[in-house]
Amino acid sequence: MELKPFKVKADLFWAFFDKPNPMSDKGDHTVDLCNLSDEAVKKIEAIGGEVRSKAEKPDQGRFITIKSRFAIKPTDEEGNEITAQVGNGSKAVVLLSPYQWNWKGKTGIRFSPKALTITNLVEYNKGGVVSNDDDVL
């Protein structure tokens, strides 16, 4: 089967674009593509990819984790690079490049990003909610 790039819409969670994910033993840059549509799930599974979901994280729906050995450079819809830290819930259109992997007798299909366009940015704020309103409870 020929593996060709294709686009999906997704919510982004756990974006490690400009630095490797500390949970990656190979130093990969990663992001979870969440709340995938039925059509995206069908396409991913049809070529042998694995779509996951976690009962304890219903806000992420069905998702895949994409990886790259290189920094991932997200852009806005005009093609400008986004340098802000991308927070959970940002929305994007991602051009996925599927590839086959084989390691210690196991095989499968994984995905890396050829392009990632953020259509609705939620900036990551390490300190949480910031407000000048003293009455917020």
Side-chain angles (χ1 to χ4, degrees):
M1 172 187 304
E2 185 176 356
L3 299 175
K4 293 182 179 181
F6 61 96
K7 291 180 186 178
V8 298
K9 287 183 183 178
D11 295 343
L12 305 178
F13 280 75
W14 311 112
F16 288 90
F17 291 150
D18 58 351
K19 61 183 176 185
N21 182 337
M23 302 284 284
S24 170
D25 58 346
K26 296 181 182 174
D28 291 327
H29 299 264
T30 65
V31 63
D32 287 352
L33 303 184
C34 300
N35 296 313
L36 296 170
S37 69
D38 291 340
E39 295 80 18
V41 169
K42 285 178 190 173
K43 173 70 174 179
I44 291 165
E45 290 177 340
I47 61 174
E50 181 183 351
V51 178
R52 300 178 293 154
S53 63
K54 294 183 178 180
E56 68 274 12
K57 296 183 180 184
D59 57 328
Q60 294 181 14
R62 297 173 296 178
F63 69 95
I64 62 172
T65 300
I66 61 173
K67 301 177 179 188
S68 175
R69 295 278 167 102
F70 306 100
I72 299 169
K73 298 186 187 247
T75 61
D76 63 19
E77 293 177 281
E78 286 79 43
N80 302 308
E81 186 175 343
I82 293 177
T83 56
Q85 286 193 308
V86 177
N88 290 348
S90 294
K91 298 189 180 304
V93 174
V94 185
L95 179 60
L96 294 177
S97 181
Y99 63 92
Q100 294 180 334
W101 62 271
N102 183 340
W103 190 67
K104 293 188 177 183
K106 294 182 181 181
T107 62
I109 300 292
R110 289 197 179 128
F111 303 90
S112 62
K114 287 189 82 64
L116 193 146
T117 302
I118 295 184
T119 57
N120 184 19
L121 175 64
V122 175
E123 285 193 52
Y124 175 73
N125 181 356
K126 187 175 183 176
V129 176
V130 176
S131 174
N132 291 329
D133 188 354
D134 292 335
D135 295 331
V136 174
L137 300 177

